[in-house]
Amino acid sequence: MTIHETIVIRTLVRWLALLVFKCAGWTSEGRKPDLPRYVIIAAPHTSNWDFIFTLCLAFIYRLNAVIMMKDAWFRWPLGPLFRWLGALPIDRSGANQVVAQSIAKFHQRDRLVLVVPPSGTRKRVLHWKTGFYHIANGAGVPIVLGFLDYRRKVGGFGPVVQPRGDLDADMAVIRAFYRDISGKYPLKESQQCIAPSVSPPAAG
Protein backbone atom coordinates (compact mmCIF):
# COMPACT_ATOMS: atom_id res chain seq x y z
CA MET A 1 0.00 0.00 0.00
CA THR A 2 1.23 3.51 -0.86
CA ILE A 3 0.33 6.87 0.62
CA HIS A 4 -2.01 7.52 -2.34
CA GLU A 5 -4.22 4.65 -1.19
CA THR A 6 -4.59 6.06 2.34
CA ILE A 7 -7.24 8.77 1.96
CA VAL A 8 -6.95 10.45 5.39
CA ILE A 9 -3.14 10.57 5.38
CA ARG A 10 -3.12 11.66 1.72
CA THR A 11 -5.34 14.61 2.60
CA LEU A 12 -3.18 15.62 5.57
CA VAL A 13 -0.01 15.34 3.50
CA ARG A 14 -1.55 17.54 0.79
CA TRP A 15 -2.10 20.30 3.35
CA LEU A 16 1.49 19.83 4.52
CA ALA A 17 2.73 20.08 0.93
CA LEU A 18 0.78 23.32 0.44
CA LEU A 19 2.34 24.67 3.65
CA VAL A 20 5.86 23.72 2.54
CA PHE A 21 5.33 25.42 -0.81
CA LYS A 22 3.97 28.56 0.82
CA CYS A 23 6.76 28.78 3.42
CA ALA A 24 9.40 28.26 0.72
CA GLY A 25 7.86 31.03 -1.38
CA TRP A 26 6.86 28.69 -4.21
CA THR A 27 3.70 28.62 -6.32
CA SER A 28 2.24 26.04 -8.69
CA GLU A 29 1.46 26.68 -12.34
CA GLY A 30 -0.41 24.80 -15.04
CA ARG A 31 -3.20 22.25 -14.99
CA LYS A 32 -2.92 18.54 -14.36
CA PRO A 33 -3.58 16.75 -17.66
CA ASP A 34 -6.90 14.96 -17.83
CA LEU A 35 -5.21 11.81 -19.10
CA PRO A 36 -5.21 8.31 -17.60
CA ARG A 37 -1.64 7.39 -18.60
CA TYR A 38 1.47 9.40 -19.40
CA VAL A 39 5.17 9.88 -18.75
CA ILE A 40 6.01 13.15 -17.03
CA ILE A 41 9.50 14.65 -17.25
CA ALA A 42 10.94 16.00 -13.98
CA ALA A 43 13.42 18.69 -15.06
CA PRO A 44 15.82 20.26 -14.46
CA HIS A 45 17.29 17.90 -11.84
CA THR A 46 20.26 19.43 -9.99
CA SER A 47 19.47 19.01 -6.27
CA ASN A 48 17.99 16.61 -3.71
CA TRP A 49 15.42 19.36 -3.08
CA ASP A 50 13.93 18.50 -6.47
CA PHE A 51 12.49 15.28 -5.05
CA ILE A 52 10.90 17.14 -2.12
CA PHE A 53 9.29 19.77 -4.34
CA THR A 54 8.21 17.14 -6.88
CA LEU A 55 6.49 15.20 -4.10
CA CYS A 56 4.82 18.40 -2.91
CA LEU A 57 3.50 19.06 -6.41
CA ALA A 58 2.22 15.48 -6.68
CA PHE A 59 0.23 15.90 -3.47
CA ILE A 60 -0.94 19.43 -4.31
CA TYR A 61 -2.30 18.27 -7.67
CA ARG A 62 -3.59 14.98 -6.20
CA LEU A 63 -1.40 13.15 -8.66
CA ASN A 64 -1.06 9.42 -8.00
CA ALA A 65 2.38 9.17 -9.54
CA VAL A 66 5.20 6.64 -9.62
CA ILE A 67 8.53 8.47 -9.33
CA MET A 68 11.69 6.84 -10.68
CA MET A 69 14.63 7.14 -8.26
CA LYS A 70 18.19 5.83 -8.10
CA ASP A 71 18.12 2.44 -6.37
CA ALA A 72 20.88 3.46 -3.92
CA TRP A 73 18.32 5.61 -2.08
CA PHE A 74 16.26 2.55 -1.19
CA ARG A 75 18.61 1.11 1.40
CA TRP A 76 17.37 0.81 4.98
CA PRO A 77 15.85 2.81 6.60
CA LEU A 78 14.70 5.08 3.75
CA GLY A 79 13.66 2.35 1.32
CA PRO A 80 10.25 1.51 2.87
CA LEU A 81 9.48 5.24 3.21
CA PHE A 82 10.24 5.99 -0.44
CA ARG A 83 8.16 3.02 -1.59
CA TRP A 84 5.27 4.18 0.59
CA LEU A 85 5.55 7.60 -1.06
CA GLY A 86 5.20 5.93 -4.47
CA ALA A 87 8.84 5.92 -5.59
CA LEU A 88 10.26 3.20 -7.83
CA PRO A 89 13.92 2.06 -7.48
CA ILE A 90 15.84 2.09 -10.76
CA ASP A 91 19.12 0.35 -11.56
CA ARG A 92 20.62 2.68 -14.16
CA SER A 93 23.07 0.00 -15.33
CA GLY A 94 20.19 -1.87 -16.97
CA ALA A 95 18.64 1.00 -18.94
CA ASN A 96 17.10 -1.10 -21.73
CA GLN A 97 15.54 -3.42 -19.16
CA VAL A 98 14.00 -0.43 -17.35
CA VAL A 99 12.49 0.80 -20.62
CA ALA A 100 10.99 -2.61 -21.44
CA GLN A 101 9.63 -3.11 -17.93
CA SER A 102 8.12 0.38 -17.88
CA ILE A 103 6.40 -0.18 -21.21
CA ALA A 104 5.00 -3.45 -19.85
CA LYS A 105 3.62 -1.63 -16.79
CA PHE A 106 1.75 0.80 -19.04
CA HIS A 107 0.28 -2.08 -21.03
CA GLN A 108 -0.89 -3.73 -17.80
CA ARG A 109 -2.57 -0.69 -16.26
CA ASP A 110 -5.50 1.50 -17.27
CA ARG A 111 -4.08 4.39 -15.24
CA LEU A 112 -0.39 5.16 -14.69
CA VAL A 113 1.62 8.36 -14.30
CA LEU A 114 5.37 7.72 -14.42
CA VAL A 115 7.72 10.54 -13.34
CA VAL A 116 11.17 10.33 -14.99
CA PRO A 117 14.11 12.75 -14.52
CA PRO A 118 15.63 12.76 -18.05
CA SER A 119 19.13 13.66 -16.85
CA GLY A 120 19.11 10.47 -14.73
CA THR A 121 21.10 12.17 -11.94
CA ARG A 122 21.34 15.49 -10.11
CA LYS A 123 25.01 15.74 -11.17
CA ARG A 124 25.94 17.49 -14.39
CA VAL A 125 25.90 15.23 -17.44
CA LEU A 126 26.44 16.18 -21.06
CA HIS A 127 23.12 14.90 -22.35
CA TRP A 128 19.66 13.87 -21.31
CA LYS A 129 19.06 10.13 -21.37
CA THR A 130 16.45 8.97 -23.87
CA GLY A 131 14.73 6.35 -21.72
CA PHE A 132 11.73 8.59 -20.95
CA TYR A 133 11.12 9.04 -24.67
CA HIS A 134 11.40 5.35 -25.55
CA ILE A 135 9.07 4.45 -22.69
CA ALA A 136 6.40 6.89 -23.86
CA ASN A 137 6.82 6.06 -27.54
CA GLY A 138 6.83 2.30 -26.91
CA ALA A 139 3.78 2.46 -24.66
CA GLY A 140 1.91 4.85 -26.97
CA VAL A 141 1.41 7.45 -24.22
CA PRO A 142 2.11 11.20 -24.20
CA ILE A 143 4.99 13.01 -22.51
CA VAL A 144 3.98 15.76 -20.09
CA LEU A 145 6.57 18.47 -19.45
CA GLY A 146 6.79 18.90 -15.68
CA PHE A 147 9.15 21.53 -14.33
CA LEU A 148 10.73 23.20 -11.29
CA ASP A 149 11.90 26.73 -12.06
CA TYR A 150 14.02 27.90 -9.13
CA ARG A 151 14.52 31.34 -10.65
CA ARG A 152 10.80 32.12 -10.43
CA LYS A 153 10.08 29.59 -7.63
CA VAL A 154 7.34 28.04 -9.72
CA GLY A 155 6.66 24.37 -10.39
CA GLY A 156 3.98 22.51 -12.22
CA PHE A 157 2.81 21.29 -15.62
CA GLY A 158 3.83 22.48 -19.07
CA PRO A 159 2.68 21.27 -22.49
CA VAL A 160 1.80 17.72 -23.51
CA VAL A 161 3.94 16.19 -26.28
CA GLN A 162 2.74 13.12 -28.17
CA PRO A 163 5.84 11.25 -29.37
CA ARG A 164 5.75 10.57 -33.11
CA GLY A 165 8.77 8.29 -33.30
CA ASP A 166 10.96 11.14 -34.59
CA LEU A 167 13.29 11.66 -31.63
CA ASP A 168 15.09 14.71 -33.01
CA ALA A 169 11.91 16.58 -33.96
CA ASP A 170 10.13 15.79 -30.69
CA MET A 171 13.18 16.78 -28.64
CA ALA A 172 13.31 20.13 -30.42
CA VAL A 173 9.81 20.87 -29.06
CA ILE A 174 10.81 19.73 -25.57
CA ARG A 175 14.05 21.75 -25.58
CA ALA A 176 12.18 24.91 -26.55
CA PHE A 177 9.99 24.65 -23.44
CA TYR A 178 12.86 24.09 -20.98
CA ARG A 179 15.17 26.72 -22.48
CA ASP A 180 14.25 29.43 -19.95
CA ILE A 181 13.70 27.19 -16.91
CA SER A 182 16.44 27.18 -14.26
CA GLY A 183 17.36 24.47 -11.75
CA LYS A 184 18.60 25.14 -8.23
CA TYR A 185 22.20 24.82 -9.41
CA PRO A 186 22.27 26.02 -13.04
CA LEU A 187 25.91 24.99 -13.51
CA LYS A 188 24.86 21.37 -12.95
CA GLU A 189 22.10 21.46 -15.55
CA SER A 190 22.45 18.94 -18.34
CA GLN A 191 22.30 20.05 -21.92
CA GLN A 192 18.77 19.54 -23.15
CA CYS A 193 19.86 17.34 -26.00
CA ILE A 194 19.84 13.60 -26.39
CA ALA A 195 22.48 10.95 -25.94
CA PRO A 196 22.27 7.57 -27.71
CA SER A 197 22.68 5.70 -24.43
CA VAL A 198 19.30 3.95 -24.53
CA SER A 199 17.84 2.25 -27.59
CA PRO A 200 14.25 1.06 -27.96
CA PRO A 201 13.61 -2.48 -26.68
CA ALA A 202 13.28 -5.18 -29.29
CA ALA A 203 9.76 -6.06 -30.35
CA GLY A 204 8.17 -9.19 -29.02
Side-chain angles (χ1 to χ4, degrees):
M1 179 177 290
T2 68
I3 192 172
H4 303 289
E5 299 169 284
T6 313
I7 296 176
V8 174
I9 296 179
R10 183 180 62 191
T11 302
L12 292 174
V13 172
R14 182 174 185 270
W15 282 106
L16 177 60
L18 287 165
L19 180 62
V20 169
F21 244 50
K22 182 177 180 180
C23 290
W26 280 68
T27 57
S28 58
E29 182 177 276
R31 300 181 62 181
K32 181 176 71 173
D34 187 17
L35 299 167
R37 302 185 306 160
Y38 54 91
V39 170
I40 180 168
I41 295 176
H45 181 33
T46 63
S47 165
N48 286 331
W49 279 101
D50 298 341
F51 177 69
I52 302 299
F53 287 130
T54 297
L55 270 182
C56 286
L57 284 170
F59 293 128
I60 290 170
Y61 280 100
R62 297 184 175 91
L63 186 67
N64 187 354
V66 176
I67 303 175
M68 282 188 175
M69 288 180 62
K70 183 179 177 181
D71 56 358
W73 284 98
F74 286 80
R75 299 182 183 130
W76 179 263
L78 295 178
L81 173 62
F82 286 140
R83 287 187 174 87
W84 183 64
L85 290 171
L88 177 70
I90 294 298
D91 178 3
R92 293 202 301 263
S93 65
N96 282 313
Q97 184 179 9
V98 171
V99 170
Q101 289 177 353
S102 299
I103 291 173
K105 287 182 183 297
F106 273 108
H107 289 161
Q108 294 164 3
R109 300 187 186 184
D110 293 330
R111 305 189 69 86
L112 177 61
V113 176
L114 184 64
V115 182
V116 184
S119 62
T121 175
R122 68 183 185 278
K123 299 178 182 178
R124 179 175 173 80
V125 294
L126 292 179
H127 307 285
W128 277 6
K129 298 182 184 299
T130 56
F132 76 92
Y133 184 88
H134 292 308
I135 292 170
N137 190 51
V141 300
I143 299 168
V144 176
L145 309 188
F147 69 94
L148 290 171
D149 189 347
Y150 282 80
R151 178 176 55 84
R152 296 187 298 136
K153 288 192 172 183
V154 174
F157 293 93
V160 177
V161 176
Q162 183 66 52
R164 300 163 292 176
D166 187 336
L167 182 58
D168 291 330
D170 292 337
M171 280 301 302
V173 175
I174 294 171
R175 278 199 305 273
F177 173 75
Y178 285 103
R179 187 169 295 127
D180 297 324
I181 293 176
S182 298
K184 183 172 178 61
Y185 301 112
L187 293 179
K188 289 185 178 181
E189 288 181 26
S190 309
Q191 296 180 23
Q192 295 157 10
C193 50
I194 58 176
S197 57
V198 179
S199 56

